[in-house]
Amino acid sequence: MTDRSNRPLAVFDLDNTLADTAHRQHFLERKPRDWDAFFAAAPQDPPIEEGIALVLQSAQECEIRYLTGRPERCRRDTLDWLAAQGLPEGRVYMRRNDDRRPARRTKLEILNRLARTQEIRMLVDDDELVCEDAERAGFTVVRARWTAPSAALKVAQEREGRT
């Protein structure tokens, strides 16, 4: 089955690609990590201008999809945040609440599924391991290097399967 649209997809990560998480990093820097507070603060994330501009530019030629490691329980806040930024509508793919696999595995699984029915023009993500695995799988990747990397977030994405 193929998608009815013949427009390619541009797939965007959220945290530290479109949404600046710096103000909530402190919840991950303590032990134990406060995941509830980390995600509860997401609606206050400032938008990242470079990422927002790239989504808007990409929407001229592509259908937009959002691919995040955020858990499904954050869907309402995530959709509200995307709408508040004036971003194009697009399906949002999120991690199951109980899925603790590394982001590079969960995201690549979804990318491969999407690629079966539609061309993926590019993936935009800040996670270097996600980017490397996506490139190895043949996807075109734009590395979102417009925020300072967070060691706590990297551990969360890779070892704890949390975002």
Side-chain angles (χ1 to χ4, degrees), residues 89-158:
E89 286 188 22
R91 184 157 179 201
V92 178
Y93 297 88
M94 303 182 86
R95 177 190 298 276
R96 288 186 326 268
N97 288 329
D98 63 347
D99 189 344
R100 297 287 186 264
R101 294 175 297 152
R104 62 192 165 102
R105 288 193 50 214
T106 59
K107 288 184 174 184
L108 196 60
E109 189 176 280
I110 292 168
L111 285 171
N112 284 323
R113 194 169 64 230
L114 289 172
R116 288 197 291 260
T117 59
Q118 220 165 341
E119 173 198 346
I120 297 178
R121 172 81 46 92
M122 69 178 153
L123 166 69
V124 183
D125 203 302
D126 69 305
D127 184 325
E128 195 59 38
L129 294 173
V130 169
C131 292
E132 288 172 7
D133 281 5
E135 282 179 333
R136 270 196 290 278
F139 295 102
T140 298
V141 173
V142 175
R143 283 168 168 77
R145 292 185 171 141
W146 31 80
T147 61
S150 161
L153 189 60
K154 183 172 185 163
V155 167
Q157 291 171 324
E158 191 54 28

Side-chain angles (χ1 to χ4, degrees), residues 38-52:
F38 178 77
F39 289 120
Q44 285 76 52
D45 287 355
I48 300 172
E49 289 181 32
E50 295 91 335
I52 301 297

Side-chain angles (χ1 to χ4, degrees), residues 12 50-62 64 88 122:
F12 287 83
E50 295 91 335
I52 301 297
L54 189 54
V55 173
L56 296 173
Q57 176 187 0
S58 299
Q60 295 174 20
E61 294 183 14
C62 299
I64 303 299
M122 69 178 153

Side-chain angles (χ1 to χ4, degrees), residues 2 9 11 20 27 32-33 36-38 47 65 76 90 112 126 130 133 142 144 153-154 156 162:
T2 57
L9 299 178
V11 182
D20 187 345
F27 293 118
R33 299 184 203 285
D36 290 338
F38 178 77
R65 297 289 184 270
R76 174 52 36 214
N112 284 323
D126 69 305
V130 169
D133 281 5
V142 175
L153 189 60
K154 183 172 185 163
R162 292 290 193 145

